[in-house]
Amino acid sequence: MNKELHILLVEDNPGDAMLIEEILLEKADFHFKINVAETLKAATTKIKSNTFDIILLDLGLPDSDGLMGLEQIIAHEKNAPIIVITGLSDEDMGRRAIHMGAQNYIIKIKKPI
């Protein structure tokens, strides 16, 4: 039996969190469990009491903005790879996140209503 991956998704937008989970369910060929944190504080609390295989981190949170959130996550989690999620206009920030220690970045594309 394949190991179930434990994913921490740090995302304050419930719609985006649900979309990311749906994409993983549709595309992933592995078993996983997603634990969602809507703030940086909630994420660091979850990291202290759980082990995660990967962290998906939105860079725009109610209690942190930009690369400060990545710095805090790196300070609390030394083993799990981190993939940052950034807005379309923040591609440069995604690249800077990689230089700081993130493994990769995903660009959120907001569709017009």
Side-chain angles (χ1 to χ4, degrees):
M1 182 173 176
N2 291 339
K3 177 186 173 204
E4 180 178 70
L5 291 179
H6 293 271
I7 300 170
L8 175 59
L9 173 58
V10 188
E11 172 61 69
D12 64 317
N13 182 316
D16 286 350
M18 195 165 57
L19 181 61
I20 290 168
E21 187 168 2
E22 286 177 14
I23 290 169
L24 286 172
L25 284 168
E26 191 176 292
K27 303 289 183 183
D29 60 350
F30 53 87
H31 298 286
F32 63 90
K33 178 182 178 185
I34 291 185
N35 198 323
V36 178
E38 294 183 354
T39 64
L40 183 63
K41 182 177 180 180
T44 57
T45 299
K46 288 176 186 280
I47 288 169
K48 289 176 186 175
S49 59
N50 297 283
T51 301
F52 294 101
D53 297 302
I54 189 165
I55 298 171
L56 304 175
L57 173 65
D58 184 13
L59 292 181
L61 298 169
D63 59 346
S64 105
D65 191 35
L67 298 173
M68 182 191 83
L70 176 60
E71 289 174 355
Q72 290 294 314
I73 294 295
I74 289 171
H76 287 88
E77 175 55 63
K78 305 289 187 208
N79 298 315
I82 302 166
I83 297 176
V84 299
I85 303 169
T86 186
L88 182 60
S89 61
D90 291 337
E91 189 171 353
D92 183 56
M93 191 177 299
R95 283 192 223 99
R96 287 186 287 156
I98 290 173
H99 290 292
M100 291 175 61
Q103 273 54 54
N104 210 336
Y105 66 94
I106 298 169
I107 298 174
K108 276 192 218 181
I109 298 176
K110 299 288 185 186
K111 292 184 179 181
I113 300 176

